[in-house]
Each structure stands twice: as structure tokens, then as C-alpha cells.
Amino acid sequence: IELNRPSLHKTPFTPLVVMELAEDTNEEAVTWLTSRIKDTQQSGGAELMIDRLTLDDNQDPKKENQNIFIVGASRERLLVGAEDVGLVKEFNDGSMRGFTYANRENFKGFQGDGDNFLSMAECQFIVKHELDTLRARGETHVPGYPKIRLYPGKSVVRRIQSKGILVQIFPLHDKEELKRLSSMWYQNVQLSFQPLDDIRHYFGESLALYFGFLEYFTLAMVPMALIGMPYYLFDWEDYDKYVLFAVFNLVWSTVFLETWKRFSASLAYSWGTLSRKKAFEEPRPGFHGVLGINPVTGRQEPVYSSTKRQLRIYLVSVPFVLLCLYLSLCVMMVYFSAEGLVLGLHDEEPTFWTSLLLYVPSIIYAVVIEIMNRIYRYAAEFLTDWENHRLESSYQNHLTLKVLVFNFLNCFASLFYIAFMMQDMQLLRQSLATLLITSQILNQFVEAFLPFWLQKRRNKRVHRRSGKVSPDQELPFDQQVMLEADMSTYLGTFDDYLELFLLFGYVSLFSCVYPLAALLAVLNNVTEVYSDALKMCRVFKRPFSEPGADIGVWQLAFESMSVIAVVTNCALIGMSPQMKSYFPDSETQLILVVATVEHVFLAFKFILAFVIPDVPRHIQIKLARVEFESMEALKKKVMYTVLRHFSRSGEYGNLKRCKCLQ
């Protein structure tokens, strides 16, 4: 690792990660924790470097937390840790292989002592992994806290984090690298692809995959936008013409999602995460239970009855979600009542002001939808925490399901009601446009501009306190750490994917009725790229790098939405006057034809998903070749071990009967 700021800190190592303990943390616990972090791996420690942050003389010690520590590691320790976390790097022959310290010189880019072999984000991820896997040995409780029990073999850091001793842990920004990334990414407005490799290098694979999906989604909507513009300009009142647009919509959504899987697989392979083995999941910091034995590891740890968890889910969480869905429908009916009232006023005495008043109920309803979504999000997080899931993956799956169900009904129920119950296409266009535009404006304001403004105010206060006149002047290291500690914490890509999911729903479900939906979505996504880049670089703490081979459960969510889009668009086609004219006397025949067309499109989707492989052929061959070579190497190792055993024991006669050699 190159040290970009040697004069900015007093410690003899490169600071990578910051650990902030509670201000009133017992000094005995601080001494114990720091010694465990420094201890060698043979002694059960993490073998990392840690030092207390030295505050500037101008700062008042009474106002600042004295329990802030910076953590780093030696170059050799990081390389050994890279093997422990299963880091995959490019081999000299061009293939992607799991990194091993013993074979380090055969990896591409490894020169000398390997100073620049690992990125800073990878080093920070390794340090975080080593801290998380720092396990309790013979301690029965945290020193100085007799009521906080420790369980042999369980993570110490996760335990003290769940008990509030560890306030936060975050990686430090690299100011020089961040400036370079910002100039390529969002500071200069230009028509070019995002620097995904640089984003991955600085923020990790999961975040880079999100921005890759955002860019791919935007480019995929360009044909929809180009076709939708003439539909809007020339065929706005011609209800029959949208049938072809609906058919194109169905084909587009299927092809887009299938080709994205191939593109993401190519990205993940080049980044070394496609063939990366999944690590064993540790319990979540908030998980609690009675002391028992883990049936997998055989270790003593807290366990929680799955029956109790299921009872909490089905007797409390599910009824609560249903109640929220009912309240959402009640709000929708209030909106329709207000819409009818305003429409009646306009019909009685149409004026310019009453024509403007027609849009007020839709705008208010769009704002109420966003407020309800955010309130429900907090309630869903509380419920999912209360369900006490052991693993983070299980927690995220249950939270995602809760949020998706409510957001889908809350955002789209009114559009379904207008389209299929009221069958008012003019009102559907108006409602869709209002919801789409209002939600985009609110999301941009709440998620990017408001946090940026608040962070800018914090930056000015810190610069004034440190005596710096210009916000562009570089702060002393301790002030920079304190500034980053006060930044908002990035909570992951959940909300970002959710926003794209709802946008995809607006485009794929009803864009045939409002062809400008795709164009508005493209404009939103272009601004989303810059606003998201701004908040990642200037507003939030730097998140830890997270390995990712795909977009996870969101791929299933988008594919489910595309299936619903088939049903919706086929139903809209069946409702068109053009289709009804073919069956003037038999509504049953029309329904059968529409159902048949719907099944044909669904069959087309599944056939297309089967025909288009998720992973490109050349990558499949490379993965198979590496797996074959690994198996051959394992066979040779087993044979060598057996031959060595028999040669040492002198039992040469047993060689012929050895099955593994046969």
C-alpha cells in the first residue's frame, strides 16, 4: 500500500479502519480489546496494528471522544489475510484463481513485496474480516463488564457491537484516490460510460454492480424512450395504436433482464467474484438467545428456537403487513374520492384554476405514498429485527419481502384500479405521469440533495474549528477522521435497488398507455447516476467493500415484475377497442384469446431464459478449466501423501492394495 499522507498521522502504519468505542468504555475493556487485536494469530489474536487517535492540541478533550482507534496491518499480514478471505486474482496465464500466499509471485501484478497488489478497499475488507473473526478464547465475559458474556469461538467484535461498547467501525477515505475517482465519475458532465472498474476498486464489487445495473437499465430503456416519443407526439389520443408498443414492451423487459445476467457474470468474472467461494456466515450482531450448542460447528453459542421465530412471523409480522396493506387501500379510496370531487368542480364551471386543481389530488397522493413507504420501511426493519434472524442473509430476505409487497401495492394499486376497474385511460395516464414525476423529485431531494446540504454544513463547521479558511483545504488527519466519523452511514444498496424496481414497474406495467414513461425514467436514471455518485463520495462514510457476483434477490424481484407485466399488458391489449371490435358479440372469446396470448408470451419468456445462458460460454470454459486443474492437483497431492506414508512405514506390499492409487 502506498502511503499518500505520511505527514498527516503519527502512527508507523497506514491507517485503514477506524473503531469508535463508547465514551464511557471501561479502560480495562479497552486494554483487553487492543491487546487481543495486536496478539499473534498463534495466540488467538488478529495480529493487526492498532493505535489510539491522537487529537490535535486545539481540540477540547472534553468535547471529543477519546476512544477512537485506527487499525492497520503489515503487508505480509494483508497478503495472508487475502488468502483467508478467499480473494480471487488474475493468474499469469490469464485465468482467475484463488489467491495463495505461497504462490503469490505467479499472480499478475505482483511485483517485489506486493506493495500495490491489493487495493485499499481490499485491505480494509481484510482488516474488517480479521476483526470480525477475532474469537473469544477462555474469557467468560468482557473485562470490566461482568454482565456481558462471551462464548468460546464466537466473534468478540460482533458481541461488543451488539452491546453498544463498539459504536461504529468504518474504513477511511483515501483523499487522493477519491479526488481522481470523482473527476472521472460525476464532476465533469459527459456522455460516457461509468468507470465501473475504478468504482469497484474503491468501493467494492456490490456497489459497482449496482452502478453497472443502473447504467445497463438506463441504456436498455433508450429504445423504449425513442419509440415512445412518436407515440406520445402523434398517437396520443389514438387508443388502438398502443398494442404494438405493449408487445415491444413485453419483449424488451425479457431480453433486458436476460442479457443483464450475462453482462453481470462477465463483470463478476473479471473482478474475481464469480468463482469466489461463499464464506461461512457468522451470526448477526443483534442476534440473541439462550446458551446452547450449534449443531453445525459444535460450539457453545446463543440459540433461538425456529418455532418461536415462525410464531412471531405468522402471528405478528404477517398480520401487521396485512393491516398496512389495508390502510394503503383506504388511503387510495380517499384519493379517488378527492379526485371525483375535483373533477365535479371542474365539470360544473371549467376555468384555468380548476384545470390546475385536477392535478392536486394526484400530487398529494404521490407525496403520501412516499411518506407511507418510508414510515413502513422503519416498521419493517423493527419487525424483522424483532423476529431475531440468526444470519444476515435471512434477515435481508425477510426485510426485502416485507418492503416489496407493501411498496408494490402502495405504488401500483391505484393504477391497477384505474386501468381495470374504472377503465379510464385518460386518468391512468395522468396518475402515472404524476406518480412518476413526483416520486422522482422527492427521491432526488431526500436521498441526495438534502444529505449533501447537511454534510456541507458539517464540513464548514469542521474547517472553521480547525482554522482552515477554504473547504477545499486538506484537514489534519485527526480532524479528517472526526469529520468522517460524523458522516452519515451508508446503509447499503437496498433503497437504491428498490427505487429502480418501482421505476421498472412504472415502465413495464403501464408505459403502453403513457409512452413517455421510459423517457422520464431515462432522465431520472441519468440524474440518479450523478446524485448517487455525489452522495457516495461526499455525503456518506466509505462503506466496506462487499464481494458480489450478481444483484442477488433483486434479480428475482425484477423478473417477477416482468411476469406481472405480461399479464398487465395483455389485459390492456384485450381492453383496447381494436381487440373488442374483433369479438363484438362474445366477451368470453375475447378473454380466451387474451389468456392464450398471455400464455404464449409467458412461454416465450421462459424459453428465452432457458436458451440464453446466464454465463457466457467462454467464461464457463475458463471456470471448468480451473476446476479441472484444481481436481488434478488434489489427486496428485493425495497420491504424494500416500506414497510418502508407505515409504516411511516400509509397508511397500500394501501399495498394490491401496484403492486411492488404483
Side-chain angles (χ1 to χ4, degrees), residues 251-314:
V251 177
W252 166 81
S253 63
T254 303
V255 174
F256 152 61
L257 292 173
E258 293 302 320
T259 54
W260 158 252
K261 285 193 286 188
R262 291 173 59 84
F263 180 70
S264 66
S266 300
L267 285 178
Y269 178 79
S270 64
W271 295 341
T273 55
L274 187 63
S275 57
R276 190 169 182 172
K277 295 181 179 179
K278 189 176 181 180
F280 180 77
E281 279 194 87
E282 294 285 341
R284 295 176 56 249
F287 175 71
H288 59 273
V290 297
L291 192 62
I293 301 297
N294 187 313
V296 177
T297 62
R299 296 171 180 164
Q300 194 178 40
E301 66 174 45
V303 295
Y304 190 77
S305 171
S306 60
T307 303
K308 290 183 179 179
R309 184 181 298 112
Q310 296 300 321
L311 289 175
R312 289 188 174 191
I313 292 174
Y314 291 109

Side-chain angles (χ1 to χ4, degrees), residues 474-602:
E474 194 166 3
L475 291 169
F477 178 69
D478 60 328
Q479 291 278 356
Q480 183 63 36
V481 172
M482 299 299 293
L483 175 63
E484 293 186 28
D486 289 337
M487 285 181 171
S488 302
T489 301
Y490 182 63
L491 301 177
T493 56
F494 185 95
D495 289 326
D496 298 314
Y497 277 120
L498 179 61
E499 184 179 348
L500 295 183
F501 171 78
L502 296 176
L503 194 64
F504 178 72
Y506 287 127
V507 173
S508 61
L509 294 177
F510 301 105
S511 64
C512 61
V513 178
Y514 184 62
L516 277 188
L519 178 62
L520 293 175
V522 169
L523 295 176
N524 172 80
N525 283 8
V526 171
T527 59
E528 188 79 16
V529 169
Y530 289 98
S531 63
D532 284 353
L534 175 69
K535 71 182 183 183
M536 293 307 306
C537 295
R538 299 286 299 276
V539 176
F540 292 113
K541 295 185 185 73
R542 184 179 186 175
F544 280 104
S545 171
E546 292 185 9
D550 49 42
I551 61 175
V553 69
W554 291 103
Q555 181 73 37
L556 178 61
F558 278 87
E559 290 176 353
S560 301
M561 180 68 81
S562 69
V563 172
I564 299 174
V566 172
V567 180
T568 302
N569 282 275
C570 287
L572 289 173
I573 292 173
M575 290 168 53
S576 67
Q578 187 180 31
M579 286 295 296
K580 290 181 178 180
S581 65
Y582 291 114
F583 307 94
D585 301 324
S586 178
E587 186 175 349
T588 304
Q589 289 184 356
L590 175 61
I591 295 174
L592 291 175
V593 170
V594 171
T596 303
V597 173
E598 172 199 318
H599 283 66
V600 169
F601 275 113
L602 288 175

